[in-house]
Amino acid sequence: MKIEKMSDWEFGFPNDGPIIISGPCSAESYDQLLFSCTGVANQGAHILRAGIWKPRTRPNSFEGIGEKALPWLKEAGRITRLPVIIEVATPWHIEAALNHDIDMLWIGTRTTVSPFAMQEIAQVLSGTNIPVFVKNPINPDVNLWLGAIERLSLAGLKQLVAIHRGFNVPDSSPYRNLPMWEIPLRLKEIIPEIELICDPSHICGSRSLLMEVSKKALELGYKGLMIESHIQPEIALSDPSQQVTPEVLGEMINALSPSFSLHYQD
């Protein structure tokens, strides 16, 4: 499997600290998205994120704004001069993202778990080599995660990253999804060249736990963090309890910065 280092990509990512991916859980309006994204950019984010299509367990809940939010996110990227990333789950999502010149894609946990869906996505992306970040499957199975990455690699994609967002298993722990750190570390043993990004927002489910999990990930040598940020988290239409304001994101980055040089030397 041939995977390129993120430092070799066309984007200007830091070598002496983690890559910070941030933005709201969901794009809700033009103003909300723009203010959230410019806010996290001012606090040091390197990639802007937002949910455009939101997978929901049950219908009639907020499932995202859809394609009309793609130009909003791209405009935020133009203003901040940062790349933008969205979740895709179907060939139609991918087509819309490519038509709007979205810079990067991530595959969500509910999609990673399906070999059929991953094969279809790999076929659609074949020949593009757009950066693709693959979240761990919802259940704790390293082979499903590995298989999803392998399908993309076999389709010719080389700019691949693994996102650890925890595993949904019955447990009475304080986490929304158990970290089960041994699984991403096992993936790294199998594919040493893959970079790990931690998504503490979905591991924690609560902003009060974000620092603890973020620090643990950096101590383990993860390449970066994906942290959800909203200008008004308390009124967010999805996952309000795990999002932070851009200002709090900046405080987190500053608090974590003393350990950067210990773990991020190419």
Side-chain angles (χ1 to χ4, degrees), residues 39-40 43 229-231 244-254:
V40 300
Q43 297 296 334
S229 180
H230 190 294
I231 51 169
V244 297
T245 63
E247 292 75 20
V248 170
L249 175 71
E251 292 170 4
M252 288 182 62
I253 293 171
N254 289 333

Side-chain angles (χ1 to χ4, degrees), residues 133-147:
F133 294 55
V134 184
K135 288 197 173 186
N136 63 254
I138 198 166
N139 48 318
D141 185 339
V142 73
N143 285 319
L144 275 175
W145 201 0
L146 175 64

